[in-house]
Structures are given as C-alpha cells and as structure tokens.
C-alpha cells in the first residue's frame, strides 16, 4: 500500500510545483549564498532539488537517502580535493531531504551536528518555508566548514554554485 501511495505522489508531482517553491529569484539567492559561503572556507556546497523519482526507482523502493547518495556521486560532490563537499538534496514528491557530507567534513562535524542541522531545516521546510530552510542549512554548513576548513589559501571553486532542479 505504501508503495502505491508513493507512486501516486511521484506521478502527480510536477516541475511546476517545484519551480513555484523555488522560483528563479530564490535559486539566484541560494546560488549567491553558496558563492559567498565558499569565500570563507575551502569546502564545497551543492543544492539539488528533484521533483520526483522514476517509476523504476520507485519499484526498487529507492529511499531518499539512497537517491541523495546517488546524486552526491553523479554530481561529483565527493570529488573535492579535501573531501569536504556537502550536498543538500530535496525530494519534493516525498517531502523529504538529506544532507550528505563527504568523509573528511563528516568525521570532523560528527553525525550529531548533521542531525541537528537537519532538524532545524526540517522545521522550516515542513512549514513551506523552502527558501528560509535551505538558506539556514547553507548557513549551518558554512559555520562547520569555516571551523574545520578555513580559507587559508585561495583555492579554485571545484563545484558549480548554481542550484539544480531535476
């Protein structure tokens, strides 16, 4: 029964509803916030929103976390020089999100930190405060990256700052 309900949610999810929650002005603000953040540390932040999963992914019962890990790999967030990339991934049809941190920053911050950030973001996202929730997440990620990976030398921007809607 859960699988059928999930399939309906995903089939009924539209790119229009995602774009309504993340209009161009919001995406630009998120991009600018990421760019400004990355001046203060040598980590990398990506923000990716997916409207819905394919029927095949749903049939295989791919979880939000599994899909976030797949996106983390596909968009090469793991491929930073210091292993300190962080992905914020939203799956709109499931009303769910994940923060995936590469191994070096994950070791330094610890799971409790990511759980706390997720809880704070989740409260805003549940109240349809999408821009505020994502910006809060970026702010918290910036803080931990500044603490553990301060910008001591100029490094290239290893990943694009633009948000992606799939």
């Amino acid at each position: 029964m859960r699988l059928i309900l999930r399939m309906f949610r995903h089939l009924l999810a539209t790119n229009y509803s995602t774009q309504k929650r993340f209009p161009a002005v919001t995406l630009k603000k998120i991009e600018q916030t990421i760019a400004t953040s990355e001046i203060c540390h040598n980590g990398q932040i990506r923000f990716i929103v997916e409207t819905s999963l394919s029927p095949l992914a749903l049939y295989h019962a791919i979880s939000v976390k599994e899909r976030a890990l797949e996106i983390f790999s596909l968009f090469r967030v793991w491929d930073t020089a210091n292993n300190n990339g962080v992905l914020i991934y939203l799956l709109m049809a499931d009303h769910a999100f994940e923060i995936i941190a590469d191994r070096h920053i994950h070791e330094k911050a610890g799971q409790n930190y990511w759980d706390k950030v997720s809880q704070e973001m989740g409260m805003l996202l549940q109240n349809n405060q999408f821009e505020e929730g994502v910006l809060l997440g970026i702010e918290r990620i910036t803080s931990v990256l500044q603490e553990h990976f301060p910008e001591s030398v100029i490094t290239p921007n290893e990943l694009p700052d633009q948000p992606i809607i799939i």
Side-chain angles (χ1 to χ4, degrees), residues 69-154:
L69 288 167
E70 185 177 25
I71 294 293
F72 187 81
S73 174
L74 287 171
F75 287 89
R76 303 180 64 89
V77 182
W78 57 267
D79 197 20
T80 61
N82 293 313
N83 297 313
N84 60 359
V86 181
L87 168 68
I88 300 174
Y89 169 77
L90 270 68
L91 181 54
M92 298 304 289
D94 280 349
H95 306 284
F97 72 99
E98 287 287 335
I99 299 172
I100 305 293
D102 206 347
R103 63 185 171 271
H104 204 180
I105 186 59
H106 180 75
E107 289 170 1
K108 293 190 178 290
Q111 187 59 47
N112 288 340
Y113 184 79
W114 302 117
D115 291 343
K116 181 181 176 205
V117 173
S118 293
Q119 184 179 30
E120 292 174 351
M121 280 181 65
M123 290 189 327
L124 292 170
L125 296 173
Q126 286 173 4
N127 290 319
N128 292 320
Q129 295 174 288
F130 292 96
E131 180 179 318
E132 296 84 352
V134 172
L135 293 176
L136 176 73
I138 294 168
E139 178 185 313
R140 298 297 190 261
I141 292 165
T142 298
S143 294
V144 76
L145 286 168
Q146 281 179 306
E147 179 183 345
H148 298 290
F149 296 95
E151 184 58 54
S152 53
V153 277
I154 296 172

Side-chain angles (χ1 to χ4, degrees), residues 10 13-15 17-18 49-53 91-94 165-166:
H10 283 259
T14 64
N15 287 339
S17 67
T18 299
V49 180
E50 189 163 24
T51 300
S52 62
L53 297 178
L91 181 54
M92 298 304 289
D94 280 349
I165 296 180
I166 300 173

Side-chain angles (χ1 to χ4, degrees), residues 19-34:
Q19 291 169 348
K20 189 173 154 187
R21 288 176 173 90
F22 291 99
V25 67
T26 297
L27 294 174
K28 191 65 176 169
K29 190 170 187 178
I30 291 169
E31 179 180 353
Q32 291 169 340
T33 303
I34 291 171

